[in-house]
Amino acid sequence: MVTDKIKALNYCLHYFLYAHDKLHFLTDFLMYLRKRSGITARKKVYVIWQKQLQNWFIVPSQRFTMYLMGHEPLTASFLKKVIKPGNVFIDVGSFIGFYSILAAKLAATVVSLEPDPRSFKILLYNIEISGVKDKIIPINVAAGSSKTFLDLKLASSLAESSFTNYLSDNKIVGVIKVPSITLDELFMSLKLNRVDVIKIDVEGAGLDVIKGAEHIISMFKPRIIFEVHRYARNDELLAIKILKERFKYNWSIIEFKSKHNFICHLVPTVKI
């Protein structure tokens, strides 16, 4: 009995020391991240244990609660059902990497596109600590209808930067030029041999993404997970209309985000 108690105390001590070391590591890492990324105390990032990813995850303060409690649970669960080992998953508007890392942990090969350089830095750190670095190709670029440079309106909330009129003027903190490439060009340059799932979340610019992906959509008929933003000047339902009429896709809503946007699943009526 005494021996068992000693073993239990010894185990608790070792666990405490392990947790203490991990806490110091994460604190040091967070300080390093802030220094390297230029994120000040007014724009904090936090290291959390993200239960859906089963991994440490770096998040901006504006999205702390969302990722801590569980990010888009219906969409995340749906993705787990459709991603298969060996699939190629293109994450358009990957933000800080939640879906890219989730797909990589499901043994998919992931191409992760994020144009905002602030979010892209966090994305790289999250990939680094995720344990699936070899599965993800991160690219600091936008997906659009042509190869060009676009004006990216930087939002005070990192998740809302946009190329469209989606943002109100009081949320814009700057405008920068970023490179844009079509998904068709990306497919050729990376020498991919398949595309199985595309996730699109681009704050109103989804129509241009679809226009630049007509070849791979025609060839591979990938599933598309699409966060639709509905605003008078940038209604992404137009993109769904093209997918339905030109490429014979059906669609259904996975979950609602607000009265202006929802996440849907598009699948071809005839899968090759």
Side-chain angles (χ1 to χ4, degrees):
M1 182 67 72
V2 174
T3 303
D4 290 342
K5 287 183 178 180
I6 292 173
K7 287 182 178 179
L9 288 171
N10 190 48
Y11 173 81
C12 290
L13 177 60
H14 279 286
Y15 182 81
F16 173 79
L17 292 173
Y18 170 81
H20 184 267
D21 288 342
K22 286 291 183 183
L23 181 60
H24 274 282
F25 166 76
L26 289 170
T27 302
D28 292 342
F29 184 78
L30 182 55
M31 294 300 294
Y32 171 75
L33 170 64
R34 288 180 179 173
K35 184 178 179 180
R36 284 288 301 276
S37 65
I39 298 173
T40 65
R42 293 182 62 188
K43 298 180 180 179
K44 291 181 179 178
V45 293
Y46 296 95
V47 179
I48 64 168
W49 179 256
Q50 215 296 318
K51 60 184 180 181
Q52 293 156 295
L53 298 178
Q54 287 295 291
N55 216 99
W56 296 109
F57 198 63
I58 300 166
V59 300
S61 58
Q62 307 99 324
R63 292 291 187 269
F64 174 80
T65 303
M66 177 189 297
Y67 283 100
L68 183 66
M69 301 302 294
H71 180 56
E72 297 174 351
L74 297 179
T75 304
S77 295
F78 183 81
L79 189 66
K80 288 180 180 180
K81 294 176 183 177
V82 301
I83 291 286
K84 308 299 181 187
N87 279 179
V88 172
F89 174 72
I90 301 180
D91 191 358
V92 184
S94 57
F95 186 35
I96 57 174
F98 176 82
Y99 285 112
S100 291
I101 293 169
L102 182 62
K105 284 179 174 285
L106 295 169
T109 296
V110 179
V111 180
S112 184
L113 308 183
E114 174 52 49
D116 189 328
R118 303 169 301 171
S119 299
F120 188 73
K121 288 178 180 178
I122 300 176
L123 167 67
L124 292 180
Y125 290 121
N126 277 331
I127 292 172
E128 186 71 33
I129 63 177
S130 69
V132 288
K133 185 179 179 181
D134 60 321
K135 289 285 187 179
I136 303 176
I137 304 170
I139 309 175
N140 188 198
V141 68
S145 59
S146 63
K147 189 174 182 179
T148 185
F149 283 86
L150 300 173
D151 289 329
L152 177 62
K153 299 170 185 175
L154 300 176
S156 52
S157 173
L158 298 186
E160 296 181 338
S161 295
S162 176
F163 298 103
T164 69
N165 294 316
Y166 166 77
L167 278 176
S168 57
D169 291 341
N170 65 325
K171 290 185 177 181
I172 299 173
V173 296
V175 179
I176 60 172
K177 290 278 187 184
V178 299
S180 172
I181 190 172
T182 69
L183 292 187
D184 287 339
E185 291 170 317
L186 184 72
F187 171 79
M188 296 297 292
S189 65
L190 294 178
K191 299 180 180 179
L192 302 173
N193 59 12
R194 61 190 293 173
V195 176
D196 299 281
V197 182
I198 301 173
K199 189 227 81 183
I200 303 171
D201 181 3
V202 288
E203 312 303 320
L207 181 59
D208 285 337
V209 175
I210 297 301
K211 287 179 178 178
E214 292 186 352
H215 173 71
I216 60 174
I217 291 173
S218 297
M219 180 177 290
F220 299 108
K221 305 294 185 185
R223 293 177 182 269
I224 300 173
I225 297 173
F226 191 178
E227 180 163 341
V228 175
H229 300 78
R230 299 207 62 194
Y231 292 86
R233 292 174 290 182
N234 299 101
D235 192 340
E236 288 179 317
L237 277 182
L238 295 174
I240 293 180
K241 184 179 180 181
I242 289 176
L243 288 166
K244 184 177 179 179
E245 295 178 356
R246 188 179 304 175
F247 299 103
K248 309 305 178 186
Y249 270 71
N250 290 328
W251 67 286
S252 58
I253 294 174
I254 300 174
E255 65 181 300
F256 286 94
K257 297 292 294 296
S258 73
K259 65 179 181 180
H260 292 298
N261 66 314
F262 57 86
I263 300 173
C264 67
H265 170 231
L266 295 108
V267 63
T269 52
V270 179
K271 179 72 172 164
I272 62 171

